[in-house]
Amino acid sequence: MAKVIEGLYYSESHEFVRVEGDYGFVGITDYAQNALGTVVYVDMPDVDDEVEAGEEFGAVESTKAASDLISPVSGKVVEVNEALDDTPELINQDAFANWIIKVELSDKGDLDNLMDAKAYTEFCG
């Protein structure tokens, strides 16, 4: 079973959000990285780009497939995880520690549309 962490928010497209104050750290779940296999490239937006909940913001490419990244929240990108430029496989080592973008949340109501750990575990089951 893939790792699921309590206290995070999860989308049906297998992204997670870890909320800290007015910011959300967005990445792909352990379930997603398992399904993808070895990650070889992460296409990320630029700092100051706007992301919209339910809209594509980048992609993850693996040795098996490419998968669009769908933002679970809306807001402005304030940071990208630059470590993934050189070592995208960090996502395979620990998907939750290696978030992809940090977003200044424009509407915390977006979180109401996401699953908690229990619901996501059932969704994946």
Side-chain angles (χ1 to χ4, degrees), residues 43-52 56-58 71 73-80 101-106:
D43 179 31
M44 296 178 275
D46 294 321
V47 170
D48 292 332
D49 281 1
E50 294 287 330
V51 294
E52 288 291 324
E56 181 185 333
F57 71 87
S71 186
V73 292
S74 298
K76 184 171 83 172
V77 177
V78 293
E79 193 178 340
V80 297
I101 58 172
K102 179 180 177 182
V103 177
E104 185 175 5
L105 302 171
S106 60

Side-chain angles (χ1 to χ4, degrees), residues 31-41 60-67 92:
Y31 180 92
Q33 73 79 20
N34 266 334
L36 281 168
T38 303
V39 175
V40 295
Y41 178 72
V60 175
E61 293 178 24
S62 73
T63 52
K64 286 196 223 172
S67 182
N92 296 116

